[in-house]
Amino acid sequence: MSPSQHPLVELVDVSFSHGPDLPVLRSVDLRIGAGDRTVVLGANGSGKSTLFRLLAAAWRPDRGELRLDGEPVQYNRAGRDRVRRRVQLVLQEPDDQIFATSVFADIAYGPVNMGLGREEVTRRVESAMEAAEVTDLAERVPHQLSYGQRKRVALAGALAMDPSVLLLDEPTAGLDPAGGRQLLRTLDALNERGTAVVLSTHDVDLAHAFADTAVVLIRGGMVTGDVGEILTDRALMERARLDLPWAPFVSRVLGRPISAPQDLL
C-alpha cells in the first residue's frame, strides 16, 4: 500500500498470546488498502492464522488496536458486524465454514443474516457463485463435493458479503495444480475490481507471482516490504525458515519478468 493511501483495515501496535507462556505476535503493525495484493509468510506456528483472525475481529488483541476505515473496532456485536461487512476470512479447511444442506443456502447465509431482501440475497449469491465458478453446483449438497469444490464454495460464501478485504488462509493447500491456477485466476479478477486480497501460504513462488507486498512473521515480529526485495533477502528467509523463490532467478536468466500466476503454475 502506498504511504498516501487510506488503509481499509489496520493493526496498530498489536500483541497477542495464547497465555502468559505462549506469545504469538508482539507489537506488530499492518495496513491494508484498497486493491492491495499481500502475502503473509512464515514457518508453522509463526502466527499467520492468528494474524488473520485478528484482522477479521474474530480474536481480540491483548494490546493495540484493530482499525477499520481509521476508526478503532469495538469488540461487541455491532463492532464485529461492522468488520464482517468489509472484511471476510476464508479458512484453510472449507469444512470449518460450510454447514448448509445446499451450496446456494450456504452462500446465502451471510447476506440473509445481514437482513437483506430476497432479491438482493439472490443477486449476491448468483454473483458470488459466478465469481467462484460454482454456479453449476448451486443445488448440490456441500459435503458430497470434492475438496477443491468445497474450497470454492467457502470462497463464494465470503464473496457474497461483498467485502472490501478478502483474507485467505492457505487458499491453495490441498489443491492440485489445475485447481490452484483456477483459484488464482479468480483472485486476480477480484483484485482487479478493487478487492484487497491478503493470502497466507508456504509457497514462496506463488507468493512472488501473486503479491506486491510480502509480510514475513518471525518469532513474534513482522517484516513487511516489496515482495521482490523481501523474498530475495537470503538472510531474512533463512531466519524465517523459508526457501528462496526460484522465479526471480529464472526471470534474470530468461531476461523477462515472471510475475503472473499463470506464468508460475
Side-chain angles (χ1 to χ4, degrees):
M1 189 180 75
S2 65
S4 61
Q5 186 176 336
H6 178 72
L8 296 173
V9 63
E10 58 183 325
L11 297 174
V12 181
D13 193 27
V14 161
S15 296
F16 182 87
S17 66
H18 290 298
D21 299 321
L22 293 170
V24 182
L25 298 173
R26 291 189 286 267
S27 301
V28 299
D29 296 278
L30 181 63
R31 295 156 52 97
I32 305 297
D36 281 359
R37 299 164 69 103
T38 304
V39 64
V40 178
L41 295 147
N44 287 336
S46 62
K48 298 187 297 296
S49 296
T50 296
L51 182 72
F52 278 19
R53 284 168 170 81
L54 290 168
L55 284 166
W59 290 352
R60 184 172 186 167
D62 300 331
R63 189 185 73 189
E65 286 185 339
L66 170 66
R67 296 177 185 171
L68 185 68
D69 295 322
E71 296 293 327
V73 169
Q74 301 299 314
Y75 288 87
N76 51 29
R77 182 171 181 176
R80 287 190 168 94
D81 284 348
R82 177 172 162 250
V83 175
R84 290 189 188 106
R85 290 171 183 264
R86 302 292 304 282
V87 181
Q88 281 289 303
L89 169 60
V90 181
L91 301 173
Q92 179 177 345
E93 289 299 326
D95 295 336
D96 291 340
Q97 291 183 263
I98 296 174
F99 56 88
T101 56
S102 76
V103 167
F104 189 99
D106 197 272
I107 298 169
Y109 179 82
V112 167
N113 278 274
M114 289 173 63
L116 301 177
R118 180 177 297 180
E119 289 186 2
E120 177 63 12
V121 169
T122 299
R123 185 195 69 78
R124 286 192 179 213
V125 172
E126 290 178 347
S127 176
M129 288 193 301
E130 182 178 0
E133 301 181 37
V134 294
T135 301
D136 59 326
L137 306 176
E139 300 306 319
R140 294 280 300 276
V141 178
H143 75 261
Q144 294 177 350
L145 302 176
S146 71
Y147 184 78
Q149 289 171 327
R150 297 199 305 278
K151 277 217 166 194
R152 300 190 72 81
V153 169
L155 173 61
L159 297 181
M161 297 295 286
D162 194 22
S164 302
V165 180
L166 187 61
L167 310 172
L168 300 110
D169 194 2
E170 297 283 355
T172 60
L175 298 181
D176 60 25
R181 286 193 297 270
Q182 184 183 32
L183 179 59
L184 288 173
R185 284 195 299 270
T186 298
L187 298 181
D188 203 44
L190 290 169
N191 181 255
E192 289 190 3
R193 299 207 308 250
T195 304
V197 178
V198 186
L199 61 87
S200 71
T201 182
H202 286 93
D203 187 336
V204 292
D205 290 303
L206 182 155
H208 184 269
F210 180 78
D212 297 318
T213 301
V215 175
V216 180
L217 299 178
I218 309 174
R219 299 172 186 169
M222 176 186 293
V223 179
T224 306
D226 174 80
V227 70
E229 294 178 4
I230 291 286
L231 297 187
T232 54
D233 185 332
R234 186 179 298 274
L236 173 64
M237 297 297 279
E238 287 179 354
R239 283 172 53 212
R241 297 170 58 195
L242 296 168
D243 293 329
L244 290 168
W246 63 262
F249 303 105
V250 172
S251 69
R252 290 171 192 165
V253 173
L254 295 178
R256 66 178 178 85
I258 298 178
S259 57
Q262 59 266 33
D263 291 330
L264 172 67
L265 295 173

